[in-house]
Amino acid sequence: MTQELEKAKSMTDDVFQTIANHEQVVFCNDTATGLQAIIAIHDTTLGPALGGTRMYPYASVTEALQDVLRLAEGMTYKCAAADLDFGGGKAVIIGDPAKDKSAALFRAYGQFVDSLNGRFYTGTDMGTTMDDFVQATRETNYINGLPEAYGGGGDSSIPTSQGVMYGLKATNYYLYGDTELKNRTFAIQGLGKVGYKVAEQLLHAGARLYVTDLDEGALQNIAKRAQELHGEIRIVNHQEIYQTDADVFVPCAMGSVINDETVKHLSVKAVVGSANNQLATNGHAKILQDKGILYAPDYIVNMGGLIQVADELYGPNKDRVMFKTKTIYQALLDIYREAELDAITTVEAANRMCEARLAEQKERNSFYARTRRPKWDIKE
């Protein structure tokens, strides 16, 4: 074997080892538009893969691949937790969303999505918008998370924030025996679309807030809203948010915010927020548990948005979305109780629940079940 062939074989073996836990990984390249993207399908036991597409200036293809594989696997668990007829998938576009976007790029991306013939449905994520995917719909029907004017469900931050509220109420009930949030104190990290709505709802409920955000305008807006509602609020910096005397820490911004450094400062009774991948590692769930801090697994708390995105394929129905979002409350209580009974972390309890659903479906699946057309794709 020549040196070049040996090198190529080594690279190929490394790639297949890297993607070993995933069903399919597709690299998309369109030189005319500059599109470089990776679509990862983790598991389609429950149905076609569903997951957003994020756009980010990754430093390398390896970094982009690692991110998309991790995110796709997380979507499998999230879809299972939400009891959706979808599997886990995700996509990343390598590029700066502030400089590299174009209508042509997203049309090209839509063509790549369409080439998977319904194995992957996608929509917005970090760095992409609903308007971007309006362009993609010119090339494919496998897009969701669209504006209402295009037949979509609209702003997914509404059910996401409502899901966080159900998570907070379930946690309050587990800790104190009631769902009353009045006079409880919450430390909210991030006042984006979801975090701001959560803060506003907590002020309506009579809660006390600590808040932090990099956007001064968002801080001023929530302070003004608190004044209108006669609420109690204190603005702190991004380091102080971990050191407050709040009852609950509510991360609604970036991931990995609970890590070796920050976990030392937390003295809250619980962590319940919408941010994805809040724990730097699953080992931090055990550290929180040992400190007596109840952790609500993020993919349970924030699945309201996913529920809406999946619901679009049946024809958008806000009442149906909100009804299903209520299941977050009972799901969290079940996870808390199982973790306590079996002396495991809440992350382990949540993963166990999702894996049981996947195993149950695999038992039911036959060749014909796995190749059936989705209900929403059958035309009269």
Side-chain angles (χ1 to χ4, degrees), residues 15-288:
V15 169
F16 276 100
Q17 184 176 358
T18 300
I19 68 172
N21 295 325
H22 291 67
E23 291 180 6
Q24 186 176 9
V25 177
V26 180
F27 287 77
C28 310
N29 183 58
D30 183 67
T31 56
T33 63
L35 173 69
Q36 292 184 328
I38 308 173
I39 298 172
I41 296 175
H42 176 254
D43 188 297
T44 57
T45 298
L46 298 177
L50 173 66
T53 298
R54 66 174 46 181
M55 187 171 186
Y56 186 77
Y58 294 97
S60 66
V61 174
T62 298
E63 182 183 334
L65 179 60
Q66 290 173 342
D67 198 29
V68 76
L69 293 177
R70 176 181 59 85
L71 292 166
E73 183 175 6
M75 287 303 300
T76 296
Y77 283 83
K78 198 167 182 177
C79 287
D83 195 23
L84 301 175
D85 295 328
F86 287 95
K90 206 76 173 183
V92 296
I93 296 174
I94 302 171
D96 185 342
K99 298 187 301 183
D100 299 329
K101 283 186 181 182
S102 69
L105 183 144
F106 278 92
R107 289 191 68 169
Y109 178 64
Q111 291 175 351
F112 279 111
V113 170
D114 200 65
S115 72
L116 291 172
N117 198 31
R119 276 181 54 77
F120 178 59
Y121 287 77
T122 192
T124 64
D125 199 285
M126 184 177 73
T128 60
T129 68
M130 289 189 287
D131 289 339
D132 296 328
F133 284 94
V134 167
Q135 297 300 325
T137 60
R138 298 170 71 181
E139 304 293 342
T140 183
N141 292 322
Y142 304 119
I143 301 295
N144 47 18
L146 291 167
E148 291 182 73
Y150 286 85
D155 186 359
S156 64
S157 71
I158 295 172
T160 304
S161 62
Q162 189 58 53
V164 176
M165 293 302 297
Y166 284 127
L168 291 170
K169 289 179 179 179
T171 303
N172 204 77
Y173 183 82
Y174 185 79
L175 291 173
Y176 306 113
D178 63 66
T179 60
E180 180 60 63
L181 302 178
K182 186 177 181 179
N183 296 325
R184 300 290 179 198
T185 307
F186 301 86
I188 303 178
Q189 181 186 53
L191 294 169
K193 287 184 177 180
V194 174
Y196 189 92
K197 290 180 177 67
V198 171
E200 192 172 39
Q201 290 180 73
L202 285 172
L203 287 170
H204 272 290
R208 296 184 293 264
L209 304 184
Y210 291 98
V211 296
T212 191
D213 196 284
L214 298 176
D215 184 349
E216 287 295 327
L219 292 171
Q220 293 172 12
N221 288 339
I222 198 62
K224 181 180 178 182
R225 189 70 179 124
Q227 189 175 30
E228 293 170 353
L229 296 171
H230 306 289
E232 186 176 336
I233 193 169
R234 179 180 169 189
I235 295 172
V236 298
N237 66 40
H238 68 282
Q239 292 177 325
E240 292 174 323
I241 199 71
Y242 300 105
Q243 303 169 15
T244 70
D245 60 355
D247 297 305
V248 183
F249 175 48
V250 186
C252 295
M254 298 297 291
S256 298
V257 294
I258 298 174
N259 49 53
D260 289 342
E261 181 59 31
T262 61
V263 74
K264 294 184 292 188
H265 301 294
L266 288 174
S267 59
V268 294
K269 296 179 179 64
V271 176
V272 185
S274 66
N276 287 311
N277 304 313
Q278 294 163 26
L279 305 179
T281 70
N282 282 345
H284 288 95
K286 184 64 167 65
I287 296 173
L288 289 174

